[in-house]
Amino acid sequence: MKSQKLLFGFMPSSLVWGYIAIAIFMAGDGFEAAFLSKFITDMGFSEAQSGLVFTIYGLMVAISAWCSGVVAEIITPQKAMFIGFILWSVMHVCFMIFGIGMGSYPLMVICYGIRGFGYPLFLYSFVILIIQNVDKSKVSTAMGWFWAAYSIGFGVLGGFLPGYINPIIGEYNTLWMALGWVVVGGLISLIALRNVKTDISKEKLSLKKKTEELSRAITILFSNKHIFMSALVRIINTTPIFGFAVVMPWLLVGKNVIDHGLGFTKTEWQNIWTVFMFVTIFTNVMWGILGDYIGWLRQARWFGCIGGAVACFLFYYIPITFGHNYWMVMIPAVLFGFTVAAFVPMTAVFAALEPHHQGAAISIYNLSAGLSNFVGPGIATIMVPLFGIIGAIWCYVGLYIFAAILTLFIKVDQPR
């Protein structure tokens, strides 16, 4: 069930509004990324407590991401996206009223954690629509546009706007504004994607067969060694992004080095984060196209893993060396934007490794992407109290080097 109607030769025309919905929805989801960890510590909670909020959230994201691929196949991607949209909206309201509003740490952890089930169902179910409507040889390109839409929303709009809105209406009200963006994105997807073609063969399966298909999203992880190694690479891909969202405000924003701060303002840090994500808009598209020619894994190995290790190293040592130098810190931000996007073809790798069970394979991909939400802040939570921020940074560098080695052992047949 592949549609060859591609806008400009690479973007699925039937899915254009889906890309737009992803960008708007993820903008709302990304409003908090650059300031929530600092906002929680400013409420009087410790850095470890703040890190735990994100760690639990990341674990819930990982579980939801794992389910999303198969769930999207057995109930249709559109229904899965709707469930994710409603779940995010309801739990965000609970988080704001009963968690932050009441200053209750347990309710913050619970509500924010449950909200973590929402965005992966919305986001990654759309990946199944892409897989079902795009020719195999163009999946990498289509996914490049998918991650570009993600970057526009989560990184650029979600990162840029709060830096200018926060000083005017405050961080608490900015978090409320995020709900409006999510609602708009959710409604666009609900209306625009209702007639997009989907493979409904698995929707008609019996409950027993659906359960077996869901379990396959775990069994292939251990029965297919190439899927297993690819999953590790995908986890590592975005682990530093979610880790940096936690540790970099501690490093850059503050009064002095003792407070883990180098004197940057919150707006300066959010602008740096926005530049990083802005760069990924173009590099996601670029690497998506180049991956079909360079080679999926070759590109991930040299530009994603090795390049990412260098970018992480510089993201710490440039500000440590040059201090409060806004423009110098932009250098590793731009470099990181180039390297982290080089993993775009990994979606195509998973689909090609299990051509008869693509939903299960994409669920493993989604699980891996979700686990990075957990692993990134988890490393910060464990390493910062023990070894400081430098300990967390070197963990991220080491993980990228390990991923580069793994790519040497993954064997996949790609179209070109």
Side-chain angles (χ1 to χ4, degrees), residues 76-215:
T76 75
Q78 291 92 330
K79 291 179 182 177
M81 291 178 74
F82 176 70
I83 293 172
F85 158 50
I86 295 299
L87 188 60
W88 194 103
S89 302
V90 171
M91 294 315 301
H92 185 73
V93 172
C94 292
F95 174 67
M96 294 300 298
I97 295 176
F98 303 113
I100 291 180
M102 296 174 58
S104 171
Y105 182 74
L107 289 178
M108 285 170 57
V109 174
I110 293 170
C111 296
Y112 194 63
I114 297 176
R115 203 199 79 177
F117 281 99
Y119 100 74
L121 267 178
F122 185 87
L123 182 69
Y124 298 126
S125 294
F126 186 66
V127 174
I128 296 298
L129 273 183
I130 292 175
I131 297 295
Q132 292 181 352
N133 285 273
V134 179
D135 186 83
K136 178 181 176 180
S137 65
K138 293 293 185 179
V139 169
S140 176
T141 302
M143 286 304 299
W145 282 95
F146 169 82
W147 287 114
Y150 173 90
S151 296
I152 291 172
F154 184 81
V156 177
L157 293 175
F160 178 79
L161 292 178
Y164 293 92
I165 296 174
N166 285 347
I168 300 173
I169 65 174
E171 293 165 328
Y172 180 74
N173 290 325
T174 300
L175 289 170
W176 273 116
M177 183 179 290
L179 178 63
W181 286 75
V182 167
V183 169
V184 171
L187 291 177
I188 288 175
S189 70
L190 183 65
I191 296 169
L193 299 178
R194 65 186 186 281
N195 294 323
V196 174
K197 293 180 180 180
T198 57
D199 182 353
I200 61 173
S201 59
K202 292 184 179 179
E203 185 185 16
K204 299 178 179 179
L205 294 176
S206 66
L207 179 61
K208 180 181 178 181
K209 291 292 185 181
K210 288 181 177 180
T211 303
E212 290 176 356
E213 193 64 27
L214 187 61
S215 66

Side-chain angles (χ1 to χ4, degrees), residues 62-73 124 127-128 213-214 216-218 220 350 357-370:
I63 295 172
S64 176
W66 164 66
C67 296
S68 61
V70 175
V71 168
E73 275 198 326
Y124 298 126
V127 174
I128 296 298
E213 193 64 27
L214 187 61
R216 198 185 304 277
I218 281 292
I220 65 170
F350 278 81
H357 302 286
Q358 290 186 333
I362 295 302
S363 278
I364 298 299
Y365 171 88
N366 296 342
L367 170 64
S368 306

Side-chain angles (χ1 to χ4, degrees), residues 40 89 99 108 139 219 261 319 356 375 396 403:
I40 292 174
S89 302
M108 285 170 57
V139 169
T219 57
H356 301 297
V375 176
Y396 301 137

